[in-house]
Every structure is written in C-alpha cells, then in structure tokens.
Amino acid sequence: AQSVTQLDSHVSVSEGTPVLLRCNYSSSYSPSLFWYVQHPNKGLQLLLKYTSAATLVKGINGFEAEFKKSETSFHLTKPSAHMSDAAEYFCVVSDHSSNTGKLIFGQGTTLQVKP
Amino acid sequence: KAGVTQTPRYLIKTRGQQVTLSCSPISGHRSVSWYQQTPGQGLQFLFEYFSETQRNKGNFPGRFSGRQFSNSRSEMNVSTLELGDSALYLCASSSLTGGGYNSPLHFGNGTRLTVT
C-alpha cells in the first residue's frame, strides 16, 4: 500500500530564505508523486508532479522537488521564500493499486513566512 | 478554461438533516473525485466517478453517496447528518481516471459544511 509521511507539521522561515518541506513515501509501485498547496479557505492547487522522466521536478512559483528513490523521499524546496508562500502544503501519492482518482495525502505542513 | 466549480461555498445544517453538494468539473474532464477534509483526519478520499460510474469508494458509511450526470457534473449527498460530518468537502476533476501523473487532479474551492 502507498503512503506518504510529511516530517514536519509546521515550518517557519524568514522572507528571502530557503524553504525545505520534507516528505517520505512508501510505494510498491513506481510512484506518482505530487505536491499540492492550499491557501486559507481555498481548494488545493497543484505545485508539481513527478513523472519519472527526471528526478528534479520544477513546479510553479519557483518550487522544485527532487525524487530520491534510495531515500524514498520527495522533498519540496524553494530558494527564496515570499510572504505569499505562507500556506499548507501536501505531499501526495497516487493509489496505483486501485487505478482510480484516489490520492493519498500526507498530513500537511504549514509554512509560515516571517517578514 | 473555467476551473472546478463547487456550490454552495458554505452550508449550515442541523443534525439529522440531509445535504446535497454540487460539483461542475473542468470542461472535457470526465472523472470527478470527492474528498473530505477535517483538522483531525486530514484529507480523505470519498469516491470517484467516471462516465457516470462509481469507480472507487473510500471508507465512509453508506450515508455518503454520490452520482455523476451525463455532462460529468457530480453531486454528493450526505443523509442523517452527524456533528462529525462538519468538514470541507472538496471536489476534483481530471481528464482521465487514475489521477496519475498524466492526469493530475484539479480541485475546486470546496464546500464548507457545518452541522449543528
């Protein structure tokens, strides 16, 4: 069975400093991995997706994630945080066993950006 | 292209009542999935519909049901509401079933249901 673990429930950074949100996954298959972001009172927006074509994935708003099979990790990074990045971030794996629109979400990491 | 539209945005209901939530997917998308989001349980999969057929269902009681129409619009219904049903209900659509990397889910802004 697939699962994801987000290692930090809350991360606080200063504006202009790097962001690192950590995610480990467990999957019997070659995983489909995603990062989604949720701003307050909004739905989820897709930041990036791992397609197996490249281990370093570039997403929107300057975010990147690196797939490391040996470490079963898919950490999200951004070189320089902006105030508008404050939100909740979800690491997500697609449930291949059911081959349906079932995503398995991590518990989320709240990113706080201080001025 | 318009995004996923969910109506209403907010609902307040009383225990024991029933409620129907609506979701219009992105034009051309045939798959609609529903998720429940609560502070305690996080995001949990409810069910997915593709071409009017339910393809998968999460671990929720039978009070939670859904359907999809020929135009791909979907509704979910919760009967005999309980306090614990208070949540943000999110709908997502994709062009293909599977939700994999070639068909990621696009989410609406959700319906906030409060049960009193």
Side-chain angles (χ1 to χ4, degrees), chain A residues 32-39 43-51 57-61 63 74 76 89-92 103 105, chain B residues 93 99-107:
Chain A
S32 292
L33 291 161
F34 311 84
W35 276 96
Y36 280 85
V37 61
Q38 185 177 33
H39 289 92
L44 293 130
Q45 181 184 19
L46 179 66
L47 275 178
L48 51 81
K49 58 183 180 181
Y50 169 64
T51 65
V57 183
K58 294 187 183 300
I60 62 172
N61 300 335
F63 284 95
F74 190 57
L76 182 71
Y89 292 78
F90 294 93
C91 182
V92 183
L103 299 181
F105 285 80
Chain B
S93 74
Y101 69 84
N102 59 343
S103 181
L105 298 190
H106 299 266
F107 285 82

Side-chain angles (χ1 to χ4, degrees), chain A residues 36 38 43 49 99-101 103, chain B residues 35 37 48 55-56 98 105:
Chain A
Y36 280 85
Q38 185 177 33
K49 58 183 180 181
N99 194 31
T100 66
L103 299 181
Chain B
Y35 287 80
Q37 185 177 24
E48 183 204 10
R55 296 201 71 243
N56 198 1
L105 298 190

Side-chain angles (χ1 to χ4, degrees), chain B residues 1-23:
Chain B
K1 208 181 232 187
V4 177
T5 303
Q6 291 187 247
T7 56
R9 284 298 311 274
Y10 301 94
L11 266 176
I12 299 176
K13 290 286 187 179
T14 304
R15 269 183 303 175
Q17 288 186 313
Q18 74 165 19
V19 67
T20 299
L21 312 181
S22 180
C23 172

Side-chain angles (χ1 to χ4, degrees), chain B residues 17-66:
Chain B
Q17 288 186 313
Q18 74 165 19
V19 67
T20 299
L21 312 181
S22 180
C23 172
S24 293
I26 291 172
S27 177
H29 284 191
R30 295 168 63 191
S31 169
V32 173
S33 301
W34 288 89
Y35 287 80
Q36 181 196 65
Q37 185 177 24
T38 59
Q41 299 298 318
L43 279 144
Q44 294 185 288
F45 173 76
L46 279 157
F47 29 64
E48 183 204 10
Y49 287 87
F50 183 82
S51 294
E52 302 178 66
T53 301
Q54 186 181 92
R55 296 201 71 243
N56 198 1
K57 187 171 171 23
N59 189 25
F60 280 83
R63 300 185 297 106
F64 291 82
S65 63

